[in-house]
Each structure stands twice: as structure tokens, then as C-alpha cells.
Amino acid sequence: MGPLSLPKQDRSRATRQRLLEAAVACLAERGWGGSTVSVVAERAGVSRGAAQHHFRTREELFTAAVEYVAEQRSAAVRGLLPQVQLITGPARTHMAVGQLVDLCTGPLFRAALHLWVAASDDDALRTPVTELEARVGREVHRMAVELLGADERRPGVRETVQGFLDMCRGLGLAHLLTDDTARRERVVRHWTAVLSNLL
Amino acid sequence: MGPLSLPKQDRSRATRQRLLEAAVACLAERGWGGSTVSVVAERAGVSRGAAQHHFRTREELFTAAVEYVAEQRSAAVRGLLPQVQLITGPARTHMAVGQLVDLCTGPLFRAALHLWVAASDDDALRTPVTELEARVGREVHRMAVELLGADERRPGVRETVQGFLDMCRGLGLAHLLTDDTARRERVVRHWTAVLSNLL
């Protein structure tokens, strides 16, 4: 492919990204039931035909969307690592915990939650979403270990990080229907101190 | 009302209970999308008309069902309290944690999760489910405090229990698509020791 084809490729990639971002926003706001390819195409300002050129099925669009946005968020958090690594002790844990809790209370977690729950009783979604969840889960775990500066060779540290990430997901769930910010901040402040002692 | 009317009342209450239990099983297995009054009535062996006599709307049936089963589970766990209260130290924490984690990995949690997620983008469900979640959340917290023998007058104990319950909900979420039992058992063993030290 010569350089003349690049602008078209760029346009195609930009369209794809707009569709993926619109799909996650749609899933977070309307849930799986209200999220169709047409709704996402309209939101992204793309024709339905163009959307179907990029994603053959609804399952493909939404699974790709959650993966894409998870990778973007992950890259953004990884971008903070050089700064975070300069800090040690409780201040480091505080900063790391803040980032990890934020990951579970924003629109990405909300969209992923809708996708997970829909996949639990939808045969076409179950396999791709289970694979996606495993990949995203491993990536979040690796990121947590690096952010916290945790040494997983020490016994119990792996389980400490895993249990803490389960807590973050539980905090995300508690934020689904009501604004749980005040309670969450107290819980997070307390458990940051606990985690800092454990690591 | 004289004693002659009792058998009819009993039959009505038995029908209501069958509907509530069938509704939770249905939500856990099929999700909100697959859970209608007709499906539940058929599963309970009750006519659609009889089901509608007990519950005017789909929202009323499923909200009442999750509340009823949560109360039943809560009563069952409370029934264990006299035995649990005879135990102290790490063995007590171990037993209490086992009960609380089990609450979040069974069909009741699965049903509740479907209802919460459906309520997040359904106006007719949002208010009753938000109220239900608050009531159930308070009851689970009280039960956790009693089971663990935690003294909430001590600073930090309340946040320890809250964060641990968030962890239980996160563990329940991780169990939604795949059998997470092996990982969960390692995490729970480790955090039982942590919790025992904290309390």
C-alpha cells in the first residue's frame, strides 16, 4: 500500500474509534438492552452501513469496544507509572489505590458490568466476554502490582492484591444505583492504610 | 376472620412463596430480559391470572422476590449465631467469613445483580430496587458485625467490615461468568487472616 492510501486508512481508523467510544458510552448509559449497532452508529455520526462494515455483529462491536477502552485506560494509568515510581511508602499506596478505585467507578466499569451480566445468560456473548474478562483482569492485576510497587515473590502479596481488586469491583457495584462517594471515600481511606501495612 | 378461612389463606401464602422463589431462580438463570411474570407463573405451576392477583407488575414481583429470599437467607444465617457466638478468635472469623462469602456466590446474589443492573437503566425499577438495596445492605452489614463479633465502637472497625463486604460482592461478581472457586478460596483464606488481625 502506497502513501496515497493513508488518508483513507486514517479516516477508517477514526471512524472505528468513534464507534468504539460511542459503544462504551451507550452501554454505560442504556445497558445491553438499549445498546444496538444502530443506536451506536447514530451516536457516533456514522451510517449504519459503515458501522456494519467495521463490526459484523452487535456482540463483536460491544466486546471490541470494552477491550479498546480498557486498553486506553490501562495505557493512561501506565503513563503515570514513572511519576508514581518516584514515591514510596503510604503516599505511593494512596496514589495507586486512588487510580485503581477510579477504574472501577467510571463509565468503563459500568459498561463492562452491563456486558458481563448480559453475557451470563446470552450464548453469543458468553465466550467472547469470558475471554475478554480474563485478559482485562490479568492486565489490571499486573498494573495494580506495578502501581503499588508490590513484590509478589513474598508469600501472601498476590492474594493481598487480588482481594483488594475484588474490593474495588465491589465498590464499583455499590456505585451503580446511587452516589456512594462519601461512604467509599471513608472505606478507601481506611483500607489504604491497611494495604500499606500489608505490603 | 374465623378459623374456617385459614386453609384458603394458607394456600394463598404458599402460592405467593412459590412465585417468589421461582422469580429469584428465574432471574438468576435467565437475567432480567428473560424474566417475565408468565415465565415465573409457569415455573411455579400457577396460572398467569393467579400470579397477577398477587403481583400487579413485573417490577413488583421481582423486587418482592429478591427481598423475600434475602430475608430467608438472613434468617438462616442468624439462626447460626448462637453456635457462632460460642467460638472466638480466628476460628470465629473463619466461620463468619465463610457465611458472608457464600451469601455473595449463590443464586440470590446472582438474581440481585441482574436486578441492580436492570434497575440502573429502567425508570420503573430504579426507585424500588434502590430502596431494596439500601435495606438489604444495612441488614447484611448488621449480620456481618454480629457474625464477626466486631466492636464498631472501636475506630476503623466499621470501615473494616464495610470494605470486607465490598470485597465479598467483588468476589461474587468474579464468579458470574466462570467458576472462580479455586482463586476465591486462596483469596478468602488470606483475607480471613488479615481480617482476624484487624478485628
Side-chain angles (χ1 to χ4, degrees), chain B residues 96-117:
Chain B
V97 167
Q99 290 295 327
L100 295 167
V101 171
D102 282 356
L103 272 183
C104 290
T105 49
L108 170 61
F109 180 82
R110 211 180 170 85
L113 186 58
H114 280 291
L115 198 63
W116 291 338
V117 168

Side-chain angles (χ1 to χ4, degrees), chain A residues 69-70 72-74 76-77 96-110 112 136 139-140 143-144 147 165 168 172:
Chain A
V69 175
Q72 276 204 317
R73 283 293 320 248
S74 171
V77 175
V97 166
Q99 289 296 326
L100 295 167
V101 171
D102 282 355
L103 272 183
C104 290
T105 48
L108 170 61
F109 180 82
R110 211 180 170 86
V136 172
E139 169 62 15
V140 170
M143 200 161 64
L147 278 173
L165 289 174
C168 289

Side-chain angles (χ1 to χ4, degrees), chain B residues 66-79:
Chain B
V66 167
E67 180 142 39
Y68 171 75
V69 175
E71 276 166 6
Q72 275 204 316
R73 284 294 320 249
S74 171
V77 174
R78 280 185 182 280

Side-chain angles (χ1 to χ4, degrees), chain A residues 29-31 109-110 113-114 116-117 119-121 126 129-130 133 156 159-160 162-164 166-167 169-171 173-174 176-178 183 186-187 190-191 194 198, chain B residues 29-31 109-110 113-114 116-117 119-121 126 129-130 133 156 159-160 162-164 166-167 169-171 173-174 176-178 183 186-187 190-191 194 198:
Chain A
E29 287 167 24
R30 296 169 167 231
F109 180 82
R110 211 180 170 86
L113 186 59
H114 280 291
W116 292 338
V117 168
S120 77
D121 54 26
R126 182 178 265 276
V129 173
T130 303
E133 196 198 350
E159 288 73 21
T160 294
Q162 287 181 321
F164 172 70
D166 286 309
M167 191 185 298
R169 291 182 197 109
L171 288 166
L173 197 53
L176 185 67
L177 291 181
T178 49
R183 185 195 76 98
R186 282 195 308 275
V187 171
H190 177 71
W191 282 89
V194 171
L198 289 173
Chain B
E29 288 166 24
R30 296 170 167 231
F109 180 82
R110 211 180 170 85
L113 186 58
H114 280 291
W116 291 338
V117 168
S120 77
D121 53 31
R126 182 177 265 276
V129 173
T130 302
E133 196 197 350
E159 288 74 20
T160 294
Q162 285 181 322
F164 173 70
D166 286 309
M167 190 186 298
R169 291 182 197 110
L171 289 166
L173 196 54
L176 184 67
L177 291 180
T178 49
R183 183 193 78 96
R186 281 196 307 276
V187 171
H190 176 71
W191 281 90
V194 172
L198 289 173

Side-chain angles (χ1 to χ4, degrees), chain A residues 70-87 95 99 103 139 142-144 146-147:
Chain A
E71 276 166 6
Q72 276 204 317
R73 283 293 320 248
S74 171
V77 175
R78 279 185 183 281
L80 299 173
L81 265 177
Q83 283 168 265
V84 174
Q85 277 163 344
L86 297 174
I87 309 166
M95 189 175 261
Q99 289 296 326
L103 272 183
E139 169 62 15
R142 270 195 299 269
M143 200 161 64
E146 288 182 50
L147 278 173

